[in-house]
Amino acid sequence: MAEDEGFDERERAAMRERAAEGKKADKRKKSSNKAAAEAKDVFDAISALSDADRRIAVWLDKVITAAAPDLTPRLWYGAPAYAHEGKVLCFFRTTNKDGVRCTVFGFQQTANLDDGKFWPTSFAVADIDEAAAKQIKELILRAKS
């Protein structure tokens, strides 16, 4: 296998986080406070971010939960995500956690965003404003329809 093939340390860490999330979810299945515990996990993950990432993450969390209060917050590969009917619908990744250039807000394949033969499923979030909030709200409502 070539040196550039395979998983780097960040990818291996994300897979370990996802495995731990699965084990934690299995333990919580019968818990009456599963949703509250998962929401706390998301809050704790956001709280641990750098100031710049946390500012955007808090804003995204508020926009997402206001647009669709029925979405369930949970961690997904260590990142904040929001599930619809048990499946992750949308998520965001941050610069200090994932090494991406800017925060990325994205949708899973379950999202109902199909538009012809080509459409975006992820968006760079360089800063926050009301226009972006409106666009994210519209995307979330369409994605879960």
Side-chain angles (χ1 to χ4, degrees):
M1 183 169 6
E3 246 183 77
D4 62 348
E5 292 182 27
F7 299 107
D8 66 24
E9 183 51 38
R10 185 174 295 127
E11 292 166 325
R12 286 190 295 276
M15 287 185 281
R16 285 190 298 271
E17 285 178 318
R18 182 65 191 117
E21 291 162 11
K23 289 176 185 176
K24 193 184 280 188
D26 286 344
K27 289 178 184 177
R28 289 179 175 164
K29 278 185 180 174
K30 296 180 182 172
S31 173
S32 61
N33 64 349
K34 179 183 176 205
E38 289 179 333
K40 183 184 180 316
D41 289 345
V42 169
F43 175 81
D44 291 346
I46 291 172
S47 296
L49 296 172
S50 69
D51 289 343
D53 280 343
R54 185 174 48 252
R55 181 169 107 14
I56 292 174
V58 165
W59 177 81
L60 281 170
D61 179 72
K62 286 180 183 178
V63 171
I64 294 164
T65 55
D70 59 320
L71 294 183
T72 307
R74 63 183 252 200
L75 290 180
W76 187 61
Y77 292 94
Y82 301 83
H84 178 60
E85 299 176 350
K87 295 182 180 179
V88 170
L89 179 74
C90 61
F91 60 91
F92 56 89
R93 316 253 347 140
T94 58
T95 59
N96 74 324
K97 171 81 174 141
D98 299 301
V100 291
R101 187 168 62 111
C102 60
T103 297
V104 174
F105 174 67
F107 291 92
Q108 278 296 89
Q109 292 184 19
T110 57
N112 187 21
L113 296 174
D114 302 32
D115 186 14
K117 295 181 180 181
F118 182 77
W119 61 91
T121 58
S122 320
F123 301 85
V125 183
D127 203 359
I128 54 177
D129 62 19
E130 290 305 314
K134 181 180 178 192
Q135 185 177 6
I136 289 169
K137 178 181 177 180
E138 290 168 359
L139 285 167
I140 289 170
L141 294 174
R142 187 169 137 209
K144 65 176 224 148
S145 65

